[in-house]
Amino acid sequence: MSDIGYVRTEMLPEQAPPNATSGPIKWIQDNLFNGVLNSILTVLSIVFLYYVLSIVLPWIWNGSWTAGSLKECREVIAAAAGDHAGGHGHGAACWAVIRERYLQLIYGFYPSELYWRPNLAFIGMLVALLPILFSNLPRKMLWFSACYPFLAFWLLWGGSIFVPLGIMVGFVLGYAWMQVLGKRFGSIVGVIAAILAPVLWWGLAVGPIDTALSGMVANSRMDTVPAKLEREIEAMTSINLQEEENGLPKTQTFTLDAKKAQLNAFNNLPILPAKVEAAEAALSEGVAQGVTGEDLEKLEAAVSNAKNELALTKRTAGRIGLIPVESAKFGGFMLSIIIGVTGIVLSLPLGILLALGRQTNLFIVKSLCVGFIEFIRGVPLITLLFVASTLLNYFLPPGTTFDIILRVVIMVTLFAAAYMAETIRGGLAALPTGQYEAADALGLDYWKATRLIIMPQALKISIPGIVSNFIGLFKDSVLVSIIGLMDPIGLTNNIRADANWNGIVWELYGFIALLFFIACFSMSRYSMYLERKLKTGH
């Protein structure tokens, strides 16, 4: 028989499919020109995009970065671009305002010599978020994430280190009381104790402890620190004078004023206790003489003012920490990040508790949660911001100072938590009853079943809604400009109030929109990554 093989012994290389069935041409045919109407709409869209981009791109590209005023900027553009700039300088952007004011748009009026503090806080925020956003990182990094809020507060606002440590101790006390009383009297009593214990600690103990410790530190440093402060003040004053003579801006102004205030506190510290004793003696004498009415109120106010002055002096002189920066100097994109990120971080756990409370069978807890959610959802955020700005002071004791940024953060958090609760409640409602029954069959108590079985699935279902709430909350942070805080939108009014930049609009709003787009788009992309990782579609 002849040896004829009909089977190929070598595999042929794989051939590319025809262009008509795959590739870019096939995609264009299927998605852009798969019919008469679709082809007409595609052509019209291309014409519209060409028309818009032919205006926007030259306006961006031909802009000027070197000018000291809007008028000079337009003259430079008109001279450089000629007909391409419209012949009068209005056909191109004036980016010089961004070059001159970008630090103000980012940091507000924060002291320039202390920019390293918000920069370090921002880097720390990214490091703290990494183990939360990406589960493959070491879990020990979560300890830094837990401590970061107190570190960030201290870096941004400065002041004594005893205050953030005292706030941290409050959380530890709340956890300890929940463990002790929860085991003894039940979980509800434990949760109530976990809320009340830190609130009482922060309101009644942190301030006096800070004052007492600062006073001890000030007394121990009385012999050495004032002389050191005098030498530093003299050196800084000399640097500022040299910079002024050379026509440069002073770089040590804020730090110099802070050191002068600390030196003044050391000088007044030996005097003020006698002032307090004199005020108390005057009050005792007035009471013995039967003084009443306004005269008695004046004597009591004198004692209160003398004690407050002594406490402030002790905290200033004995401060172990950073130079304090008041909230009025916060602004720009830094303020938006503070309000937005804090609201996002706090609203999620609060929203979870509200969603669970709305679904519970406990009548009082359910009624409180439903009432809170419906009330907050029925009130505009602007109204809550006005309450935080003006009305809240009427309900506080006279002389109480409640930081405006802290008030705004509380209101924004409450507002976002109400919407977050409804989003999570949707995820809880989407779970089949069998999941609850399976948790009961395993013998898990309520909190273990919620933490290990119910909530992971509900949060996975709710990811798109949760991220949408986050993005909305971050963008709503610009509403604080209505109550006088200098967010990026509020700062644009200040910049336009300058005669050099009066009339400039699009460049400022474009820069702010770009920063917000980067932040919001990053959150959106992370949401999509998380959905793919958790496979929420299955």
Side-chain angles (χ1 to χ4, degrees):
M1 294 179 62
S2 60
D3 185 12
I4 301 175
Y6 294 98
V7 178
R8 187 184 296 275
T9 58
E10 295 179 356
M11 292 294 294
L12 291 175
E14 184 179 354
Q15 299 293 320
N19 292 333
T21 59
S22 66
I25 295 177
K26 176 63 175 175
W27 185 90
I28 291 174
Q29 289 178 345
D30 290 344
N31 295 279
L32 301 180
F33 298 99
N34 61 350
V36 177
L37 178 61
N38 198 3
S39 301
I40 293 173
L41 292 176
T42 299
V43 172
L44 290 177
S45 299
I46 292 174
V47 172
F48 176 75
L49 285 176
Y50 174 78
Y51 175 75
V52 172
L53 293 178
S54 65
I55 297 174
V56 174
L57 291 182
W59 182 82
I60 296 174
W61 186 254
N62 296 326
S64 171
W65 291 88
T66 56
S69 65
L70 181 59
K71 180 181 179 183
E72 182 183 347
C73 189
R74 286 174 174 170
E75 291 174 354
V76 171
I77 292 171
D83 294 338
H84 296 290
H88 44 63
H90 290 266
C94 185
W95 299 119
V97 66
I98 303 299
R99 181 185 59 81
E100 182 179 301
R101 298 298 184 97
Y102 76 96
L103 288 176
Q104 190 177 10
L105 286 170
I106 293 175
Y107 297 102
F109 299 102
Y110 206 85
S112 59
E113 62 260 42
L114 302 180
Y115 279 167
W116 65 271
R117 282 161 51 175
N119 291 340
L120 186 59
F122 182 74
I123 294 172
M125 181 190 73
L126 297 180
V127 175
L129 288 176
L130 282 177
I132 300 173
L133 300 180
F134 302 100
S135 58
N136 54 349
L137 291 176
R139 294 295 87 190
K140 291 182 178 179
M141 290 179 67
L142 289 172
W143 285 105
F144 177 77
S145 303
C147 298
Y148 171 74
F150 311 101
L151 176 63
F153 169 80
W154 185 55
L155 283 174
L156 292 173
W157 273 270
S160 172
I161 188 63
F162 300 131
V163 175
L165 289 177
I167 296 174
M168 190 183 300
V169 170
F171 284 103
V172 176
L173 285 177
Y175 178 76
W177 278 103
M178 185 177 71
Q179 292 295 319
V180 174
L181 297 183
K183 292 179 180 177
R184 188 177 181 86
F185 301 104
S187 58
I188 295 181
V189 176
V191 171
I192 295 174
I195 297 173
L196 291 180
V199 171
L200 294 175
W201 168 262
W202 296 330
L204 302 177
V206 173
I209 290 176
D210 177 39
T211 303
L213 293 176
S214 299
M216 294 170 60
V217 173
N219 292 330
S220 65
R221 292 178 169 183
M222 187 65 75
D223 297 332
T224 57
V225 173
K228 181 183 176 183
L229 286 173
E230 289 178 356
R231 292 194 298 271
E232 292 176 350
I233 289 171
E234 184 178 356
M236 288 182 176
T237 305
S238 175
I239 293 173
N240 278 351
L241 288 175
Q242 290 177 6
E243 290 172 340
E244 190 175 12
E245 290 174 357
N246 295 328
L248 300 172
K250 299 176 184 178
T251 57
Q252 304 289 330
T253 303
F254 187 83
T255 307
L256 179 60
D257 292 341
K259 289 188 177 297
K260 286 181 178 178
Q262 192 174 16
L263 179 61
N264 189 47
F266 270 107
N267 294 331
N268 291 334
L269 194 56
I271 306 171
L272 292 178
K275 187 176 179 181
V276 174
E277 292 178 1
E280 290 177 340
L283 177 61
S284 300
E285 185 179 353
V287 172
Q289 294 176 357
V291 174
T292 57
E294 293 184 358
D295 294 335
L296 181 61
E297 292 178 358
K298 289 180 180 178
L299 292 173
E300 292 174 343
V303 174
S304 177
N305 292 335
K307 289 183 177 178
N308 291 336
E309 187 179 2
L310 177 59
L312 179 61
T313 304
K314 285 182 177 179
R315 287 198 291 268
T316 304
R319 181 181 61 238
I320 297 180
L322 302 173
I323 297 173
V325 179
E326 59 267 33
S327 297
K329 295 189 178 300
F330 284 60
F333 203 65
M334 181 183 72
L335 180 63
S336 296
I337 291 178
I338 292 173
I339 296 174
V341 172
T342 309
I344 287 171
V345 171
L346 296 180
S347 64
L348 181 58
L350 187 57
I352 292 174
L353 292 177
L354 288 171
L356 293 175
R358 185 160 190 167
Q359 285 204 329
T360 185
N361 294 325
L362 301 174
F363 177 75
I364 296 177
V365 175
K366 183 174 183 177
S367 301
L368 290 174
C369 292
V370 171
F372 174 84
I373 292 171
E374 297 303 331
F375 173 76
I376 293 293
R377 293 175 69 196
V379 178
L381 178 59
I382 294 176
T383 305
L384 296 176
L385 293 177
F386 274 114
V387 170
S389 173
T390 57
L391 295 181
L392 199 59
N393 286 332
Y394 293 106
F395 300 99
L396 297 175
T400 303
T401 56
F402 198 3
D403 189 89
I404 179 65
I405 295 180
L406 181 59
R407 281 182 273 166
V408 168
V409 166
I410 291 174
M411 288 300 176
V412 169
T413 301
L414 295 179
F415 183 82
Y419 285 88
M420 193 68 68
E422 289 301 282
T423 302
I424 295 171
R425 189 169 68 92
L428 292 171
L431 285 182
T433 310
Q435 296 297 316
Y436 294 89
E437 295 173 349
D440 294 337
L442 291 174
L444 300 177
D445 61 18
Y446 175 78
W447 292 109
K448 284 185 179 178
T450 302
R451 180 168 58 89
L452 299 175
I453 295 179
I454 305 302
M455 197 50 65
Q457 299 182 72
L459 290 177
K460 188 176 72 172
I461 296 171
S462 308
I463 285 175
I466 291 174
V467 176
S468 295
N469 286 341
F470 286 167
I471 293 175
L473 170 62
F474 188 67
K475 291 190 294 184
D476 285 345
S477 64
V478 298
L479 292 176
V480 299
S481 62
I482 296 174
I483 59 173
L485 292 180
M486 289 295 127
D487 78 307
I489 300 297
L491 283 172
T492 59
N493 296 327
N494 280 25
I495 294 173
R496 285 199 299 272
D498 187 345
N500 290 330
W501 302 112
N502 187 13
I504 197 163
V505 176
W506 293 105
E507 292 84 352
L508 294 172
Y509 288 149
F511 179 72
I512 295 169
L514 176 63
L515 294 181
F516 272 95
F517 174 78
I518 292 173
C520 296
F521 185 70
S522 301
M523 284 191 275
S524 174
R525 299 304 297 180
Y526 175 75
S527 167
M528 296 175 67
Y529 156 77
L530 200 60
E531 289 180 37
R532 288 195 300 272
K533 182 179 179 182
L534 299 177
K535 297 178 181 177
T536 56
H538 302 280

